[in-house]
Amino acid sequence: MGKKKNLIETAVRLFAEQGYDGTTTLQISREAGVTEPLIYYHFKGKEELFTHILIEAFDEYMGRMDALPCETPNEFTKIENLIHATQQAVKDMPRRTRLVMSSCPARIKDPKHVCHDRMIGIYEWHYDYLTRCLEKGIISGEFRDVPVAETAFVLISTINGMSRQHSLLDEDSIIRTRQAAVDFCRRSLMAI
Amino acid sequence: MGKKKNLIETAVRLFAEQGYDGTTTLQISREAGVTEPLIYYHFKGKEELFTHILIEAFDEYMGRMDALPCETPNEFTKIENLIHATQQAVKDMPRRTRLVMSSCPARIKDPKHVCHDRMIGIYEWHYDYLTRCLEKGIISGEFRDVPVAETAFVLISTINGMSRQHSLLDEDSIIRTRQAAVDFCRRSLMAI
Amino acid sequence: MGKKKNLIETAVRLFAEQGYDGTTTLQISREAGVTEPLIYYHFKGKEELFTHILIEAFDEYMGRMDALPCETPNEFTKIENLIHATQQAVKDMPRRTRLVMSSCPARIKDPKHVCHDRMIGIYEWHYDYLTRCLEKGIISGEFRDVPVAETAFVLISTINGMSRQHSLLDEDSIIRTRQAAVDFCRRSLMAI
Amino acid sequence: MGKKKNLIETAVRLFAEQGYDGTTTLQISREAGVTEPLIYYHFKGKEELFTHILIEAFDEYMGRMDALPCETPNEFTKIENLIHATQQAVKDMPRRTRLVMSSCPARIKDPKHVCHDRMIGIYEWHYDYLTRCLEKGIISGEFRDVPVAETAFVLISTINGMSRQHSLLDEDSIIRTRQAAVDFCRRSLMAI
DNA sequence: GATGAATGAGTGTTCATTCAT
DNA sequence: TATGAATGAACACTCATTCAT
């Protein structure tokens, strides 16, 4: 019986709902239907359980990003793909994405933390991905002549903001809003 | 000597940096240079201290929003004003804004919480403000014919996302990025 | 205005209802409508306030006992007088009597306590009073030949027990029960 | 090793000696030779530990009362049995009886308290037991014609008073006093 | 794998008390 | 007299963690 998996899923849920400090090992074990010491059999401690979850989530998220096609008919398709992929990640694993996005900063500020590099990495990956898109699109004439760095930052903000507010939308709105976001960016970027 | 004020400022800083559960009353009192029981002389407890700070921050934020001019030469100026005002709020009181934006959801989910209505209120205020802008602008021909509700959501996401990632930028970038955001929205919304 | 008197009356009530340890100086001051430091203006501290009340109550009680007539037509009248006097004391100052009777043992066990001698004194006074009555009554043939020390103890127990259970009775029952107690003792003691 | 039992016995002693509010969890744990958190492993808190002890004591006491024989040669034997049983209970478990008798009123006044019904129950059981004895004895001519309700109250007072003052007596006096109490009541009640 | 019992260190909170005014 | 502000010491209680089984 997957007691370990049960433990992890419960921890993911509670950490996402209540934060790391707001969640106790007793609560995790009880809601997972096991006893507390079992956490210490599978993990070195609460911190390692949390880190384990984070790393898994980071890697899953980055795996999705790395799977985005390199070859696309044009640069805007890359941006469209990114928006779809991030929104899909939120939809597929809302709690893990929530953890990656919101609870991290507080606990991973410390550069020595195992997840610190991953967190920086995700931001930089997005930044590089969008910067390269914009540069190529501007050169090719597909995009207007926008300030690359600043516009990339705005795009990341929009994507992150939407991920965070994801829970406010119902099933139908999600799809329409995703499309609205893509259109919003297209109109702004595409040369007339 | 302003020990109470000192207490509050320290609490704001620590709550913003470490979250509610990650901050202890002992830590607050020590870093404020007072003793722990003083917290309980001025506030009913840790929770009330936190709530006091949140309410103050919510009200300061909404005060700024309510101060936005009702009469503007056109609808996009309203959106431009909103972006400037929110970014200015983040700049003037970064920790309080951080609290209002990020630490709340976790603790204010409970509809009975004193701050729950304020939090909902802020979102709805933004939504109404933007929805009205868009509607009027579309009718007057100032804006293109975009889906109002969805586009408002995207705009809020962008604004929130930028507020949250504010700390990643240095003094100069902030101004350039703010301008880039305004331009990004203008190009997307304004009729050609 | 009698703030001090107010303080004392409130303290009497709270100490009687909740005990010494269950009553806080803040509670006393609040319910008395004054501030906490005022307690320390009038008394050295909580303990002295309590002791002040106890001494007052002890002395008032003993004053009533000392006022009992020495010359009586017979010995049983003395016993009757004692029962009436103790029951009247409970009726006139129920809370103070309650303090003298029930909350003391816990706090006055220590022989160094100012009230320790008073407490012992009250018991011994009762004991001597009853012992003398019984002895004289037995010698004079008024009473049957009962074991003096043991019977005195039983009588004290009855008197104390009734004082303690006083609050269970309504106004009318009190009088009838007091009479029943007197008759109960009379039948048991008086020679046929 | 019986750490839980140790904890309970120590708590019984300290609660009886110092009262609920005068006893700290740290003191209990130290004197029991365990650490404080162990209290919270076995009980929900200090209050539950106290309640656990009270319930146990109440039930033990009532168990003894229920064991009294229903069939007796006459009604006074029932009263004699009651006096013996209560005094024996005090002798066998002086601290628990002390708790049941003296510390309760203060903490169990609240009708919602788990022990409130038990406390009322004990009083009513005594009252009913004695009332029935007296009625039957009066009808059968065994007893004089005394007022039933009031005399029952006086008898309860004597029994309670003796239980409370039990600690003042040494081993020998206890037996003599118990006998004196029985004789005292017999002379008062029995028809000549 | 899994658990019941146990703990050292710390948590939020309250206490009686003091001090400057 | 009287109080608002402040505190050292202690309080009931919880935490993540360990250990014997």
Side-chain angles (χ1 to χ4, degrees):
Chain A
M1 44 176 124
K3 287 199 175 183
K4 184 177 179 181
K5 205 185 166 192
N6 209 339
L7 209 48
I8 292 175
E9 281 316 306
T10 308
V12 166
R13 178 168 56 81
L14 292 173
F15 284 144
E17 282 171 6
Q18 311 174 337
Y20 179 83
D21 293 307
T23 305
T24 71
T25 50
L26 183 60
Q27 197 186 4
I28 295 170
S29 60
R30 275 196 182 149
E31 301 204 12
V34 300
T35 54
E36 249 184 317
L38 194 61
I39 295 176
Y40 296 85
Y41 179 79
H42 289 299
F43 304 94
K44 262 179 70 183
K46 185 187 179 187
E47 181 74 39
E48 208 206 62
L49 168 58
F50 183 63
T51 301
H52 172 91
I53 289 168
L54 276 188
I55 290 177
E56 232 184 42
F58 273 124
D59 292 350
E60 163 72 19
Y61 185 88
M62 277 310 294
R64 286 162 178 258
M65 295 306 116
D66 289 337
L68 288 177
C70 292
E71 303 297 324
T72 51
N74 53 52
E75 293 308 309
F76 187 76
T77 306
K78 285 217 177 81
I79 294 178
E80 192 173 358
N81 284 345
L82 180 61
I83 293 174
H84 273 89
T86 53
Q87 293 307 103
Q88 195 58 35
V90 179
K91 201 180 166 192
D92 292 346
M93 39 178 221
R95 293 197 268 254
R96 284 174 166 81
T97 314
R98 183 183 186 76
L99 273 178
V100 168
M101 297 214 147
S102 74
S103 88
C104 290
R107 283 206 74 72
I108 311 194
K109 259 182 338 194
D110 181 11
K112 281 169 295 184
H113 195 286
V114 202
C115 295
H116 185 256
D117 290 347
R118 279 182 170 79
M119 188 187 59
I120 300 292
I122 284 191
Y123 177 79
E124 288 183 345
W125 183 89
H126 281 141
Y127 186 77
D128 291 347
Y129 182 95
L130 287 167
T131 302
R132 234 170 292 130
C133 276
L134 291 171
E135 276 169 352
K136 286 174 79 175
I138 290 166
I139 288 171
S140 73
E142 179 185 350
F143 292 157
R144 308 190 212 201
D145 186 19
V146 299
V148 173
E150 289 78 7
T151 303
F153 186 89
V154 172
L155 282 165
I156 292 176
S157 296
T158 306
I159 288 170
N160 277 0
M162 286 181 68
S163 300
R164 252 180 261 249
Q165 309 212 337
H166 190 262
S167 61
L168 298 174
L169 302 175
D170 57 64
E171 190 76 16
D172 288 347
S173 310
I174 286 175
I175 296 165
R176 289 204 311 277
T177 307
R178 190 189 294 190
Q179 193 52 48
V182 171
D183 293 340
F184 189 85
C185 295
R186 192 197 326 267
R187 289 193 308 270
S188 184
L189 293 174
M190 300 291 271
I192 33 174
Chain B
M1 229 192 272
K3 290 196 175 185
K4 183 177 178 181
K5 207 185 165 191
N6 210 337
L7 209 47
I8 293 174
E9 282 315 307
T10 308
V12 166
R13 178 167 56 81
L14 292 173
F15 283 145
E17 282 171 6
Q18 311 175 336
Y20 179 84
D21 293 307
T23 305
T24 72
T25 51
L26 184 59
Q27 195 187 8
I28 295 171
S29 60
R30 276 195 179 148
E31 300 206 11
V34 300
T35 55
E36 240 184 324
L38 193 62
I39 295 175
Y40 298 87
Y41 179 74
H42 289 298
F43 304 94
K44 261 180 71 183
K46 187 188 179 186
E47 180 76 37
E48 207 204 63
L49 168 57
F50 184 64
T51 301
H52 171 91
I53 289 169
L54 276 188
I55 290 178
E56 233 183 39
F58 273 124
D59 292 350
E60 163 72 19
Y61 185 88
M62 276 311 292
R64 286 161 179 258
M65 295 305 115
D66 289 335
L68 288 177
C70 292
E71 302 296 325
T72 50
N74 54 52
E75 292 308 309
F76 187 76
T77 306
K78 286 216 176 84
I79 293 178
E80 192 173 1
N81 285 344
L82 180 62
I83 293 174
H84 274 89
T86 52
Q87 293 307 103
Q88 194 60 34
V90 179
K91 201 180 166 192
D92 293 346
M93 38 178 223
R95 292 195 270 252
R96 282 174 166 81
T97 313
R98 182 182 187 76
L99 275 177
V100 168
M101 297 213 146
S102 75
S103 87
C104 291
R107 285 205 74 74
I108 311 194
K109 263 182 330 196
D110 181 10
K112 281 169 294 186
H113 195 287
V114 201
C115 294
H116 185 256
D117 290 347
R118 281 183 169 79
M119 190 185 58
I120 300 292
I122 284 191
Y123 177 79
E124 289 185 345
W125 183 90
H126 281 142
Y127 186 77
D128 291 347
Y129 182 94
L130 287 167
T131 301
R132 234 171 292 132
C133 277
L134 291 172
E135 277 169 352
K136 286 174 76 174
I138 291 166
I139 289 170
S140 72
E142 179 186 350
F143 292 156
R144 307 189 210 201
D145 186 21
V146 297
V148 173
E150 289 78 7
T151 304
F153 186 88
V154 173
L155 282 165
I156 292 176
S157 296
T158 306
I159 289 170
N160 277 359
M162 286 181 69
S163 300
R164 252 181 258 251
Q165 308 213 338
H166 189 261
S167 61
L168 298 174
L169 302 176
D170 57 64
E171 190 76 17
D172 287 347
S173 310
I174 288 174
I175 297 167
R176 288 203 313 275
T177 309
R178 188 188 297 189
Q179 193 54 47
V182 171
D183 293 341
F184 189 87
C185 295
R186 190 194 331 263
R187 288 193 310 268
S188 184
L189 293 175
M190 300 290 273
I192 33 173
Chain C
M1 42 175 124
K3 287 198 174 182
K4 184 177 179 181
K5 206 184 165 194
N6 209 339
L7 208 48
I8 292 175
E9 282 316 306
T10 308
V12 166
R13 177 168 56 79
L14 293 173
F15 283 144
E17 282 170 7
Q18 311 174 339
Y20 178 84
D21 292 308
T23 305
T24 72
T25 50
L26 183 60
Q27 197 187 4
I28 296 171
S29 59
R30 275 196 181 148
E31 300 205 12
V34 301
T35 54
E36 248 184 317
L38 195 63
I39 295 175
Y40 296 85
Y41 179 78
H42 289 299
F43 304 94
K44 263 180 72 184
K46 186 189 180 187
E47 180 75 40
E48 208 206 61
L49 168 58
F50 183 63
T51 301
H52 171 90
I53 289 168
L54 274 189
I55 290 178
E56 234 183 40
F58 272 125
D59 292 351
E60 163 72 18
Y61 185 87
M62 277 311 292
R64 286 161 178 260
M65 295 305 115
D66 289 334
L68 288 178
C70 292
E71 304 295 327
T72 51
N74 53 53
E75 293 308 309
F76 187 76
T77 306
K78 285 216 176 83
I79 293 178
E80 191 173 1
N81 285 345
L82 180 61
I83 293 174
H84 274 89
T86 52
Q87 292 307 103
Q88 195 59 35
V90 179
K91 201 179 168 193
D92 293 345
M93 40 179 221
R95 293 196 269 253
R96 282 173 166 82
T97 313
R98 183 183 185 76
L99 273 178
V100 168
M101 298 215 146
S102 76
S103 89
C104 290
R107 281 205 76 72
I108 311 193
K109 260 182 337 193
D110 181 12
K112 282 170 295 184
H113 195 284
V114 202
C115 295
H116 184 256
D117 290 348
R118 280 182 170 79
M119 189 186 59
I120 300 292
I122 283 190
Y123 177 78
E124 288 183 346
W125 182 90
H126 281 142
Y127 185 77
D128 292 346
Y129 182 93
L130 288 167
T131 301
R132 235 172 290 131
C133 277
L134 292 172
E135 277 168 353
K136 287 174 78 175
I138 291 166
I139 288 171
S140 73
E142 179 186 352
F143 292 156
R144 310 189 210 200
D145 186 22
V146 299
V148 173
E150 289 77 6
T151 304
F153 187 88
V154 173
L155 283 165
I156 293 177
S157 296
T158 306
I159 289 170
N160 277 0
M162 286 181 68
S163 300
R164 252 180 261 250
Q165 307 212 342
H166 189 261
S167 61
L168 297 175
L169 302 176
D170 56 65
E171 191 75 18
D172 288 346
S173 311
I174 286 174
I175 297 166
R176 288 204 312 276
T177 308
R178 191 188 295 189
Q179 194 53 47
V182 171
D183 293 341
F184 190 85
C185 294
R186 191 195 329 264
R187 289 192 309 268
S188 185
L189 293 173
M190 300 292 271
I192 33 173
Chain D
M1 230 191 273
K3 289 197 176 185
K4 184 177 179 181
K5 206 184 167 192
N6 210 336
L7 210 46
I8 293 175
E9 282 315 308
T10 308
V12 167
R13 178 167 55 80
L14 292 173
F15 284 144
E17 282 169 7
Q18 312 175 335
Y20 179 83
D21 293 307
T23 305
T24 73
T25 51
L26 184 58
Q27 195 188 5
I28 296 170
S29 61
R30 277 196 180 148
E31 302 206 10
V34 301
T35 55
E36 237 185 328
L38 193 62
I39 295 176
Y40 298 89
Y41 179 73
H42 288 299
F43 304 94
K44 261 180 72 183
K46 186 188 179 185
E47 180 75 39
E48 208 204 62
L49 169 56
F50 183 64
T51 300
H52 172 91
I53 289 169
L54 277 188
I55 290 178
E56 234 184 39
F58 273 123
D59 292 350
E60 163 72 20
Y61 185 88
M62 277 310 293
R64 285 161 178 261
M65 297 304 116
D66 288 335
L68 288 177
C70 293
E71 303 296 325
T72 51
N74 53 53
E75 293 307 309
F76 187 75
T77 306
K78 286 218 177 83
I79 293 179
E80 193 175 358
N81 285 343
L82 180 62
I83 293 174
H84 274 89
T86 52
Q87 292 307 103
Q88 195 59 34
V90 179
K91 201 179 167 193
D92 293 346
M93 39 178 220
R95 293 196 269 254
R96 282 173 166 82
T97 313
R98 182 182 186 77
L99 275 177
V100 167
M101 297 215 146
S102 75
S103 87
C104 291
R107 286 205 74 76
I108 310 194
K109 262 182 334 196
D110 181 11
K112 280 169 297 187
H113 195 286
V114 201
C115 295
H116 185 257
D117 289 348
R118 279 181 171 80
M119 190 185 57
I120 300 293
I122 284 191
Y123 178 78
E124 288 184 346
W125 183 90
H126 281 143
Y127 186 77
D128 291 346
Y129 183 92
L130 288 167
T131 301
R132 233 170 293 132
C133 278
L134 292 172
E135 278 169 353
K136 286 174 78 174
I138 291 167
I139 289 171
S140 73
E142 179 186 350
F143 293 156
R144 308 189 210 202
D145 186 20
V146 299
V148 172
E150 289 78 6
T151 303
F153 186 88
V154 173
L155 282 166
I156 292 177
S157 297
T158 305
I159 289 170
N160 277 359
M162 286 181 69
S163 299
R164 252 182 259 250
Q165 308 212 340
H166 191 262
S167 61
L168 298 174
L169 302 175
D170 55 65
E171 189 75 18
D172 287 346
S173 312
I174 287 175
I175 297 166
R176 289 204 312 276
T177 308
R178 190 188 295 188
Q179 193 51 49
V182 171
D183 293 339
F184 190 86
C185 294
R186 190 195 329 264
R187 291 193 306 269
S188 185
L189 294 174
M190 300 291 271
I192 31 172

